[in-house]
Amino acid sequence: MNMNRKLFGWGLLMGMMVLLTDCRRADDPEPQDENELITTVRLHFTEQGTTTVNTFEYKDPDGDGGNAPTRFDQIRLKPNTTYNMTVEILDESKSPAENITEEIAEEADEHLMVYTATPASLLTYTYGDKDSRNQPLGLTGTARTGAAGTGTLKVQLRHQPPVNGTPVKNGTAAPGSDDINLDFGLRVE
Amino acid sequence: MTKERKRNRLTKGLFQRVGVSLLLLCLYSIPAVFAQQAPCDCFVKGIVRDKHTGQPVAGATIALLGENKGVFTDKDGRYQIERLCPGRYELECRIIGYQPFSETIDLTAGHEEDFALTEDEIHLKDVEITAHRTDAPSSQPLSTLTGQDLARTRGQSLAESLRGITGVTTLQTGSSISKPVIHGLHSNRVLIMNNGVRQEGQQWGSEHAPEIDPFIATRLSVVKGAAGVRYGSDAIGGVILVEPEELPIGKPISGEFNAVGFSNGRQGVFSSTLQGGIKGLKEVGWRAQGTFKRGGNIHTPDYFLANTGTRERNFSLAAGFRRKAFGAEVFFSHFDTQLGIFSGAHIGSVTDLLQVIERGEPFVKGNFSYDIGRPFQDVAHNMVKGEAHYHFADGHRIQWVSAWQYNDRSEFDLHRPRNDSLAGLNRPELNFRLTTFTNDITWDHKPIANKLAGQVGISTLYQYNLMSGRPLIPNFDQWNVGLFLIERLVQDGWEWEAGLRYDYRYLTTYRLVNRVPQTDEFRFSSASGTLGVTRSVSEKLSARLNVGTAWRAPNVSELFSDGVHHGAAAYEEGDRTLRPEQAINTVASVAFDTDRFNWEIGAYHNYIAHYIYLKPQPEPILTIRGAFPYFRYTQTDATFTGIDASLGWKLSGRWSWKSKASYLRVYDQRNEQYLVMIPPNRWDNQLAFTIGRAGKWQGLFVSAGNLWVGEQRRVPLNSDFAPPPPAYSLWNIMAGGTLAITAKQQVEVGLTVHNLLDTRYRDYLNRFRYFSDEMGRNISLRLKWRFGA
């Protein structure tokens, strides 16, 4: 009787071990995936009144670490000129490349592109698009260059999702965190 | 019949005493006191038993302190000391491999009258003392929280509960995640033994809190210093023992219900335990226990911290069987928690972090809410443990512990995937599933000449980890086997202890490199040793010295990390050539103990060869989110040197003062500089006023205390985004007592106010110190209802 009970107890234990064990094996790893990977940022500048497009690019095809970025262009623009400016953001680690620009446009309410020239007189950016709450987005806009000089253009994609269900995007860079933060060299000449 | 009843009453008396003795962590079983009226013709006799197995212990030393009278227990665990004059004696029992236990025995005339009431004819009394076996090295400092001290921590997490122990601090990630730190070491350098089983979660992560419900335990102990011989890999800084009460085999039903409320976070914690035997089956005992916890956003003195709620649901079941020399037990526990992570702590780039530091407070100050949104962790831990033991008639003993653990950790980032269909799945961005099987067999040989006892053992571990989500660590499986031998010798007030161990670990990792599977193999092995001595100079004064070694194999994160650690704003890279760490720890302590005055001072020096740390590299790493400081896991030789001191002083009948201080200095010997994230020095004082009895209330007290934590000035240059926070001082008050409703029902009540003055402060060991202040004032009310035994 006691023996039976003992056997039952041990049997139960063994049974639980077998049932609860995840049967998949460690030697078959799943592909790991960075959901939010961005490898490429392209800035297209079109001089108003022309169809000439100047494209400047940052590209790090294998993402953070690993190999260094393969391209990080210097932006070269004419002085005292107005450009239509669009941004193209890609994840080229996937095949075909994933178009992140579209995804940002869909989630416009929680994203903001911020362009900051240093010194500020080099370039002035004006937003050309808005989200559903009438806040700027910055995928398209205009850039007006100042007098000749060199400096940097900081390009940021601010991710500003709601906090505890309340929207926080207010048109400034302050809320949220950086998804992109690149200091392009800028030469106006 | 009368005899039986008498016995029961006596036993009960004993058990109450045991409650007291357990505070001292003792391990024995039964001395009995027999007293006879005639002068100097009293005697004491009894049996010493192992609490867990109920078996008699042969070769235990029983001594009356200051009387120069000592005897050994015989092969049936019995002892007898004769020709005692009436009076009060301090009886001390020492067993090799158990903690020493002492008890005051009253052989005065008045006391005998009490005996006479129950034992009218023979003037006898059976005193049953049971105590718990401990595997911890006896020459190493061991601090234990039980009874009232443990009760005061109820409702807090495991790490927070241990903070009252000198030399133990916490490493925090915000207010919701805390990990224990012993003598400046944490994570993989501290081992947690959960009910006798190595806790295997993803300990390497500084934001991975131990997956243990402290309500499981009636005793939380900390072994300070390297204890690699008995516990194997990772026991470099120390070992935390989480121990439940022994199963109530053949005892009546009893239980307790705990309710704790905290004003800050409006947190509620409920936990209950029910246990007993089964009628008609004297050899069986069982226990069922469950805990529920829910808390909302934490408030600093000035603002709420958004998304800092927590939720926890745990339960455990245990059953045991004991017949004569054989015993067996099964235990199942389930731990399940959701932890909100302060959303203001998410940063994308170094610029983000610098801006938060400059702003000095979070950009978004939340409101109160119980909701847990992204980012959060969802962690479950299951354990099944089986234990069996057998005592051979000739004194040998064998024990087998087998356990299975499954740890399922999901981490949800602040940002969902941008792709809507992926986002809709609401999958964790990181998921780890770690399965571990452990088996431990230990053989205790019978004491030789009542002086030498010891054990040999073999420990095996097999585990495998499955990983999904963003790249962090690879899948792996690993085998570990360890063999150890520990012997202890007791002679003339000296107790010597020596041990040896050998471990071998075989780790295989599996990952995809550019979509091609790659397997890496690692073999680690190490020998560990320990040598210690305990000297009882007198009944009041004792001294201990221990030199122990321990090792730790590099973990997969140290071998394979490669990416930005958000929150740390650092690019961290592993190194596949790392070797195991080797610690040599020397610890010496002196303790003095009388009724009115006690103190203990301990000094330690832990030299860790090949200490693994993140070394800053000269060039930052450029990423799409800007440049990040670049760190590589590197090895050096580090020393951890410190002092723990504690003092208890009964100033008068009612006033008492307790003081604890700890000092720690850590140095990187190879690079001749300090190391980061080391707990600053601290000093804790409590002044208590005992009211005692009032009506049906017992043990009434009020106390006030202060904790001072210094500023950590010993930091390497240019190693941090912000300097360590300044020193802080926190006040607290406490009051409590026990209401005896009936002989078998008690309600314990406790009221505590932490951070009484709502002080604004930041702690150096909180990884979110960049982002926000610590918790403000927190008032808690504890109720504990006990019924049955």
Side-chain angles (χ1 to χ4, degrees):
Chain A
M1 172 59 194
N2 268 321
M3 200 58 205
N4 286 346
R5 217 179 294 130
K6 241 180 288 172
L7 282 174
F8 173 74
W10 286 108
L12 188 73
L13 177 68
M14 295 301 174
M16 280 166 99
M17 284 186 176
V18 172
L19 278 177
L20 294 170
T21 302
D22 197 325
C23 292
R24 263 178 297 172
R25 309 223 1 234
D27 59 6
D28 181 21
E30 284 179 40
Q32 299 190 327
D33 188 16
E34 183 84 66
N35 280 325
E36 297 204 59
L37 185 62
I38 295 171
T39 63
T40 310
V41 176
R42 286 188 195 131
L43 301 172
H44 303 291
F45 289 84
T46 313
E47 191 181 334
Q48 281 187 351
T50 74
T51 54
T52 322
V53 182
N54 293 308
T55 297
F56 307 99
E57 181 172 333
Y58 170 92
K59 185 170 175 176
D60 186 7
D62 65 349
D64 294 352
N67 299 317
T70 56
R71 252 184 102 169
F72 198 2
D73 297 340
Q74 188 184 43
I75 300 171
R76 287 162 175 262
L77 299 171
K78 291 188 213 166
N80 301 312
T81 310
T82 305
Y83 293 88
N84 289 327
M85 183 183 153
T86 61
V87 61
E88 187 182 2
I89 300 169
L90 301 172
D91 175 4
E92 294 188 289
S93 71
K94 313 254 183 343
S95 171
E98 198 170 330
N99 187 338
I100 310 286
T101 327
E102 285 171 13
E103 292 174 3
I104 292 169
E106 283 168 21
E107 290 180 15
D109 283 355
E110 51 184 71
H111 287 95
L112 177 71
M113 295 295 305
V114 181
Y115 305 91
T116 317
T118 310
S121 60
L122 275 183
L123 186 145
T124 315
Y125 180 81
T126 311
Y127 287 94
D129 49 5
K130 291 199 183 318
D131 67 15
S132 69
R133 291 169 58 247
N134 215 28
Q135 300 285 359
L137 175 58
L139 293 177
T140 65
T142 54
R144 170 82 192 162
T145 53
T150 58
T152 58
L153 180 67
K154 184 184 277 295
V155 176
Q156 284 170 281
L157 169 58
R158 301 288 298 169
H159 195 161
Q160 308 177 322
V163 173
N164 275 7
T166 313
V168 297
K169 183 174 167 181
N170 61 3
T172 72
S177 59
D178 284 333
D179 278 356
I180 296 173
N181 184 325
L182 292 172
D183 286 318
F184 282 89
L186 174 61
R187 174 182 285 256
V188 178
E189 60 184 1
Chain B
M1 191 242 125
T2 359
K3 211 173 177 188
E4 192 60 30
R5 206 177 45 207
K6 259 182 239 160
R7 192 164 244 281
N8 284 344
R9 282 180 104 161
L10 290 170
T11 312
K12 211 197 312 156
L14 277 201
F15 264 92
Q16 280 163 0
R17 291 190 189 198
V18 175
V20 177
S21 59
L22 280 179
L23 276 173
L24 307 168
L25 191 73
C26 257
L27 293 177
Y28 308 39
S29 208
I30 309 188
V33 180
F34 292 77
Q36 286 193 339
Q37 210 83 5
C40 295
D41 206 13
C42 301
F43 60 96
V44 179
K45 73 175 198 174
I47 291 188
V48 177
R49 286 183 195 277
D50 179 295
K51 188 170 184 190
H52 177 62
T53 65
Q55 290 298 299
V57 176
T61 322
I62 309 291
L64 291 180
L65 297 178
E67 287 298 303
N68 209 12
K69 287 186 189 209
V71 293
F72 289 106
T73 54
D74 65 15
K75 66 178 177 15
D76 300 318
R78 296 193 166 277
Y79 68 90
Q80 182 159 347
I81 303 176
E82 297 176 327
R83 294 182 199 286
L84 295 171
C85 305
R88 282 165 68 95
Y89 295 93
E90 184 81 3
L91 181 139
E92 190 189 61
C93 175
R94 286 183 164 269
I95 316 170
I96 314 177
Y98 295 69
Q99 286 296 115
F101 170 78
S102 65
E103 166 144 339
T104 304
I105 309 242
D106 199 338
L107 297 177
T108 56
H111 201 70
E112 279 176 331
E113 278 171 30
D114 281 341
F115 289 172
L117 289 176
T118 54
E119 310 259 319
D120 33 2
E121 290 173 356
I122 20 179
H123 308 284
L124 289 186
K125 186 177 113 168
D126 256 10
V127 181
E128 180 170 317
I129 301 170
T130 53
H132 224 270
R133 186 189 169 78
T134 178
D135 291 325
S138 61
S139 53
Q140 255 174 279
L142 178 87
S143 304
T144 301
L145 284 182
T146 52
Q148 282 293 328
D149 293 334
L150 182 62
R152 282 170 204 166
T153 70
R154 288 310 196 191
Q156 301 182 335
S157 72
L158 179 69
E160 291 166 332
S161 305
L162 295 170
R163 265 198 296 223
I165 293 177
T166 323
V168 182
T169 52
T170 53
L171 170 66
Q172 285 182 270
T173 300
S175 56
S176 46
I177 298 172
S178 38
K179 305 192 69 158
V181 180
I182 305 175
H183 287 172
L185 296 163
H186 57 83
S187 300
N188 274 117
R189 296 186 183 101
V190 165
L191 180 65
I192 301 178
M193 297 296 290
N194 183 6
N195 194 3
V197 177
R198 282 176 79 92
Q199 176 81 0
E200 288 288 336
Q202 305 279 354
Q203 291 101 320
W204 51 268
S206 51
E207 60 274 52
H208 300 171
E211 308 85 354
I212 293 175
D213 177 7
F215 277 106
I216 282 183
T218 50
R219 186 168 42 242
L220 295 176
S221 311
V222 175
V223 181
K224 293 183 228 169
V229 170
R230 182 60 186 85
Y231 298 104
S233 171
D234 299 2
I236 280 184
V239 184
I240 292 166
L241 308 171
V242 178
E243 295 170 299
E245 209 175 328
E246 289 299 334
L247 281 173
I249 298 212
K251 304 238 170 77
I253 298 228
S254 66
E256 64 175 57
F257 175 75
N258 290 275
V260 191
F262 294 90
S263 65
N264 204 326
R266 301 178 204 171
Q267 189 181 74
V269 186
F270 305 92
S271 181
S272 50
T273 304
L274 198 63
Q275 60 181 16
I278 295 175
K279 269 212 173 96
L281 295 171
K282 281 199 303 195
E283 296 156 326
V284 176
W286 58 272
R287 176 179 302 130
Q289 175 267 343
T291 302
F292 176 83
K293 184 183 210 171
R294 183 94 195 253
N297 288 349
I298 293 298
H299 197 265
T300 70
D302 301 305
Y303 44 84
F304 280 105
L305 298 175
N307 200 45
T308 48
T310 55
R311 196 157 48 204
E312 207 174 295
R313 281 159 299 186
N314 318 314
F315 70 89
S316 68
L317 302 167
F321 170 86
R322 200 197 283 167
R323 173 183 284 173
K324 293 184 183 144
F326 174 79
E329 192 173 302
V330 286
F331 173 80
F332 172 76
S333 69
H334 172 76
F335 175 90
D336 185 352
T337 188
Q338 285 82 44
L339 298 166
I341 296 173
F342 174 48
S343 48
H346 182 92
I347 55 127
S349 66
V350 173
T351 324
D352 284 348
L353 178 59
L354 295 176
Q355 277 171 1
V356 179
I357 293 171
E358 196 180 333
R359 200 185 298 127
E361 58 178 35
F363 178 75
V364 177
K365 301 186 188 87
N367 296 314
F368 181 78
S369 167
Y370 281 108
D371 295 340
I372 298 174
R374 284 166 173 260
F376 71 99
Q377 300 181 353
D378 186 353
V379 185
H381 193 94
N382 292 310
M383 178 165 97
V384 181
K385 173 198 163 189
E387 185 262 358
H389 62 258
Y390 187 78
H391 278 257
F392 295 91
D394 54 5
H396 298 294
R397 170 183 187 265
I398 188 166
Q399 185 184 36
W400 174 40
V401 178
S402 181
W404 166 91
Q405 290 173 76
Y406 177 63
N407 185 283
D408 187 345
R409 158 175 291 275
S410 293
E411 299 185 7
F412 294 79
D413 292 352
L414 176 64
H415 299 165
R416 290 161 184 267
R418 279 193 208 83
N419 181 308
D420 282 347
S421 56
L422 274 180
L425 299 173
N426 199 24
R427 281 195 304 213
E429 276 63 40
L430 276 174
N431 176 249
F432 313 83
R433 282 152 293 151
L434 181 67
T435 307
T436 309
F437 295 91
T438 49
N439 267 290
D440 298 271
I441 297 170
T442 45
W443 172 279
D444 289 72
H445 69 73
K446 69 172 178 190
I448 298 167
N450 286 335
K451 285 179 183 169
L452 183 72
Q455 60 180 188
V456 292
I458 179 166
S459 293
T460 62
L461 173 147
Y462 168 69
Q463 73 180 184
Y464 61 92
N465 184 52
L466 303 174
M467 181 66 222
S468 59
R470 66 183 147 81
L472 190 64
I473 60 166
N475 279 3
F476 64 84
D477 55 37
Q478 69 179 352
W479 294 89
N480 196 108
V481 58
L483 288 165
F484 67 88
L485 165 70
I486 300 173
E487 289 293 328
R488 295 182 177 104
L489 175 73
V490 178
Q491 195 161 26
D492 307 331
W494 294 82
E495 180 175 342
W496 297 88
E497 177 176 53
L500 276 176
R501 181 182 179 111
Y502 179 77
D503 279 289
Y504 177 79
R505 175 173 287 202
Y506 175 56
L507 166 71
T508 315
T509 61
Y510 308 93
R511 63 207 167 105
L512 297 175
V513 179
N514 297 324
R515 301 192 177 83
V516 180
Q518 181 163 342
T519 302
D520 296 273
E521 293 178 7
F522 301 86
R523 289 176 181 81
F524 303 111
S525 62
S526 177
S528 313
T530 186
L531 187 64
V533 59
T534 305
R535 166 74 173 142
S536 304
V537 181
S538 72
E539 56 192 283
K540 294 170 188 156
L541 189 67
S542 64
R544 291 182 290 193
L545 176 68
N546 176 281
V547 180
T549 71
W551 77 296
R552 179 179 80 86
N555 64 54
V556 284
S557 132
E558 290 159 340
L559 296 168
F560 287 98
S561 275
D562 191 6
V564 172
H565 187 161
H566 293 272
Y571 190 95
E572 298 177 355
E573 187 174 285
D575 178 356
R576 260 156 270 156
T577 63
L578 294 175
R579 299 148 64 196
E581 292 179 347
Q582 295 283 354
I584 304 173
N585 187 56
T586 307
V587 51
S589 64
V590 181
F592 178 82
D593 193 359
T594 65
D595 285 347
R596 287 202 53 191
F597 195 65
N598 65 74
W599 53 259
E600 178 162 6
I601 183 158
Y604 57 92
H605 179 77
N606 200 351
Y607 175 82
I608 306 178
H610 319 308
Y611 179 83
I612 300 172
Y613 76 113
L614 284 164
K615 181 177 186 162
Q617 304 293 308
E619 290 299 313
I621 290 259
L622 181 63
T623 76
I624 192 95
R625 275 165 276 107
F628 283 92
Y630 174 28
F631 294 88
R632 273 181 70 98
Y633 281 103
T634 311
Q635 298 191 286
T636 185
D637 300 322
T639 50
F640 288 68
T641 311
I643 295 170
D644 290 339
S646 62
L647 168 80
W649 189 7
K650 252 191 163 166
L651 304 167
S652 73
R654 291 180 175 248
W655 291 95
S656 61
W657 174 43
K658 274 186 194 170
S659 185
K660 293 181 280 194
S662 57
Y663 165 89
L664 171 62
R665 180 182 185 273
V666 177
Y667 203 64
D668 173 345
Q669 299 290 346
R670 269 192 227 170
N671 300 300
E672 300 191 332
Q673 60 177 11
Y674 296 111
L675 287 168
V676 290
M677 287 300 264
I678 300 302
N681 302 330
R682 60 192 58 220
W683 189 24
D684 187 356
N685 283 287
Q686 291 283 339
L687 185 66
F689 180 75
T690 308
I691 300 161
R693 279 168 186 274
K696 284 192 153 189
W697 288 87
Q698 301 168 349
L700 285 170
F701 76 97
V702 289
S703 73
N706 175 270
L707 170 70
W708 176 86
V709 176
E711 177 182 338
Q712 183 54 282
R713 294 174 199 274
R714 288 186 283 265
V715 291
L717 291 172
N718 306 319
S719 62
D720 207 337
F721 293 103
Y728 62 84
S729 161
L730 299 179
W731 292 89
N732 67 68
I733 50 172
M734 245 188 286
T738 304
L739 176 66
I741 301 169
T742 67
K744 290 199 163 190
Q745 276 197 64
Q746 301 170 336
V747 176
E748 238 175 83
V749 182
L751 181 76
T752 306
V753 185
H754 281 291
N755 194 359
L756 180 70
L757 305 179
D758 218 13
T759 305
R760 284 180 202 93
Y761 71 103
R762 299 191 185 201
D763 188 272
Y764 180 53
L765 257 72
N766 189 333
R767 297 178 55 251
F768 284 2
R769 71 179 185 277
Y770 303 132
F771 308 108
S772 73
D773 289 337
E774 295 281 336
M775 191 188 283
R777 184 183 298 122
N778 191 6
I779 304 168
S780 64
L781 180 66
R782 268 185 311 109
L783 293 175
K784 176 174 167 181
W785 173 49
R786 283 163 58 123
F787 58 92

